[in-house]
Amino acid sequence: MEPEGPYMELDDFDGHSDQEALHQHGEQPSYSRDFKPSEQTWRLLKEQALRFAFTVVIVVLIIATLKIYESGGNVEHDDKFAFNAIITVLNLALGLNFLEAFKDMAKVLRWRVLASRKFTVREADLILGGESLMKLMTLMWELMWESSKKPLTLFVCAIWVALNLASSLAQASIAMVSLNYSMDSGTDSNGITTSKGMVNATKLDCYYDNGICSTAPETAQSQAHAFGEITRAQRSCPYSSDDDIKSGPQNCSHFYSRDSLEFAVRYLDYNPRDSSHSHPFLTKRIVKAFPGECYRYDVGPIDTANGPDGIQEIWVVHFNNETYNGSLPVPKPSAAFDSTTYVYNGSLKPQEAIAQVCGPRCLWIYAFQSYSPITGRPNTMFQCPINVTDVSNVNNSAHVLPNDNARLAAASIALSGRYTNPNGPEKEWQQYQLYPHGSYWETQGLSPQLVGARMAEFAIGSLAAMANLNPQILIPGTLPTLGYHLSVQWNYVIALAACIVTAHCALVALMLWIARPIVVGSDSNLVTARLLHDLVGHLGGRGVLLDEKETAKAIMREGTGTEEVAFGIAQTDVGRVLQLGEHVEVGEKFPQGAYA
């Protein structure tokens, strides 16, 4: 049967049965037990295994919590508090468990120290409280001021302090885990949480001029072109599929396909409280612009005629290819050598065009590329159908881009807002824009499809500026709110977790090694009191109000004259017993066998 203490507890003794029968027959009951180091080691191992398993479980729970919150993405404010509460509880549990493990080792070490040599009663009392760092420091302080210093005892105390420092380092390791993760507040669309609510969305019903939707067609046309002019000042990002557009950075004003023949705008919704527009919700609403099949024509003779306004002269540019012949009027001020003139050739406003339409949201746009005679290169005319799609994934009427605005965007590269016959019975809405050599929009050396791509890019740039500069409207939608995201330095977290578990394992092994040569009883006040029975018995029932120093002096005064005590074996009339007292055999190893 396993020993339960220096005076072994009887696991099967309940105050009755066999022991009561012995009393009835006048015989002395026996409480003796055998001390077997291997059985004691297994008992201590089983006791510490539970504490070690608790350490492992807590470490695993901490890592699992970090992993779950990190992979969970952005969390709301309440979730951040929940995370902090969980991690705090786990860290406290781990720290307290580790601290208790060191206290367990200190309680074992005290018996090993007391069994190694004799100490004064005062020293023995402080050593018994060795799991307290204050008592340990008190012992060292008193030893340093004694007339006859005990270097060995001081050395043992120093080792004990080192173990307490190791405990502190273990606690620091637990705290250092918290230094290797952070719950960071979001700053942009990547750091938001979403919920249903009222959001600010761009108004798409008009090309607004300084927040005003003018009824004058000239204003809308000139504004559409002005918005397109800032295309190159806005960030554009490539895409291969719509998923690239939906997940692209929030500061991508517009997107271009890998072959640069299609362009897109992704619309953003904002929290009404986000006055700086720092953290929008990236919607799945997308509008695209692209050219249809474009044509290239050779330019023939250019005739000169009076303009419809009676002031400007115009060039009548004749062009043809193998299947088509046509002509196009270009005012002289809108054309120049080595430059490109974009032309909207409709007599009606783009929103009302008939002859120039190629679909409900498509217009034919021309580009006249002229060259200086000294270059020897022939002038060229391009004709392209520019398409603007409907906005995809619309779930509110405010998300719709009307056909009129789609047509204005399609023609925006050629629009000026100036009609050509102010004196006529009806206005003629042919419009022109000139781009000189060196401009991005100049078409020299481009294929017909790339010329169309320039027109489509200008159109999408106009819509992108509309999305950014138009006023907003409050509508139901997906409300973005800045959240929090957990960032973890896993290399350090895993290393520290491994150190904590390894340190606890080493601590258990060290404690078992320290305890093996001696008898280590249970951490019971009754067991300890039984060991001190003969020592404190010198005072009888006196001195209950003395402090610890006075009690130690009184015991030494009332004792047999021996000032030093130890934990060891004493031979009595009932056999071999364990005591913390004066007349004991001191040894590094307790013999196996029965103890009374």
Side-chain angles (χ1 to χ4, degrees), residues 31 117 250 275 306 339 424 434 500 562:
Y31 302 113
R117 58 182 299 274
Q250 73 178 60
S275 58
N306 291 327
S339 62
L434 173 67
I500 292 170
T562 302

Side-chain angles (χ1 to χ4, degrees), residues 487-527:
S487 300
V488 183
Q489 299 183 47
W490 283 111
N491 290 342
Y492 295 106
V493 169
I494 296 300
L496 288 170
C499 287
I500 292 170
V501 172
T502 302
H504 196 158
C505 184
L507 187 66
V508 172
L510 179 62
M511 181 174 61
L512 296 178
W513 177 79
I514 291 172
R516 188 171 179 81
I518 62 170
V519 175
V520 176
S522 65
D523 183 30
S524 164
N525 291 329
L526 291 176
V527 172

Side-chain angles (χ1 to χ4, degrees), residues 59-99:
V59 168
V60 169
L61 286 176
I62 290 175
I63 292 175
T65 301
L66 294 177
K67 188 64 178 177
I68 290 170
Y69 272 85
E70 183 189 45
S71 60
N74 299 318
V75 298
E76 297 179 352
H77 196 65
D78 291 343
D79 295 323
K80 176 190 174 184
F81 279 127
F83 168 80
N84 288 335
I86 293 170
I87 287 295
T88 299
V89 169
L90 291 176
N91 280 335
L92 286 174
L94 182 59
L96 291 173
N97 186 62
F98 218 83
L99 182 62

